Amino acid sequence: MPDILMHLDGINGQLELYNDKIIIKRKGALPKIAQGSFREDKTIYLKQITSIQVKPGNIFTNGYIQFSLPGGNDSTKGLINATQDENTIMFVRKHNSVVEEIKNKIEHLQSTLTMHQEVSSADEPNKI
């Protein structure tokens, strides 16, 4: 199995970042209650992610990182709806910097994937 680049233990699950994907896991009692006990691990490939929304935690509320996918029904109503979104991990304020690092790493990996795809397609012969 590939190595995990970064990991986040959130309130409603765990996030693992790999070179080409993220895996959202729902291990533990609170994630099972918040997201439903029948949720499986969810794999999202970096090339599928169209945007990443981060709301940092503060002394009053938890933060969250939310991933948007093509054709997805994105929640734009803030923290309450984010708690129920399967593409969202909530976290406590002390993890703000880790989440920002994860977001930056994902964006960097996405740009690397895009550059690699552009170079690969440029190497293909032109078809008439």
Side-chain angles (χ1 to χ4, degrees):
M1 178 140 193
D3 292 332
I4 298 171
L5 300 178
M6 300 183 83
H7 178 86
L8 171 67
D9 281 321
I11 296 168
N12 64 337
Q14 301 78 35
L15 174 72
E16 295 176 350
L17 172 61
Y18 297 85
N19 276 321
D20 62 340
K21 65 187 170 197
I22 61 170
I23 298 178
I24 297 175
K25 299 185 174 196
R26 305 293 180 186
K27 300 201 183 318
L30 187 57
K32 297 288 186 191
I33 292 168
Q35 296 293 319
S37 60
F38 300 108
R39 300 259 181 183
E40 303 268 332
D41 293 353
K42 181 167 185 177
T43 300
I44 302 172
Y45 289 93
L46 300 184
K47 63 184 177 184
Q48 294 176 293
I49 299 171
T50 56
S51 69
I52 304 169
Q53 180 179 352
V54 173
K55 190 239 179 245
N58 58 50
I59 60 172
F60 301 109
T61 62
N62 295 314
Y64 63 86
I65 182 167
Q66 183 177 51
F67 302 96
S68 297
L69 307 174
N73 188 10
D74 297 337
S75 171
T76 57
K77 295 186 174 125
L79 184 61
I80 300 301
N81 284 358
T83 62
Q84 299 168 353
D85 183 352
E86 67 181 356
N87 299 330
T88 300
I89 295 289
M90 295 175 49
F91 57 89
V92 294
R93 178 175 63 157
K94 72 179 182 179
H95 289 113
N96 283 347
S97 61
V98 172
V99 170
E100 194 60 35
E101 287 178 41
I102 289 172
K103 178 183 183 285
N104 291 338
K105 184 69 173 176
I106 290 170
E107 289 171 344
H108 172 74
L109 289 168
Q110 284 180 313
S111 68
T112 302
L113 285 172
T114 302
M115 287 182 352
H116 178 70
Q117 289 171 345
E118 288 173 358
V119 169
S120 295
S121 63
D123 291 340
E124 294 177 10
N126 291 334
K127 295 182 182 177
I128 302 176

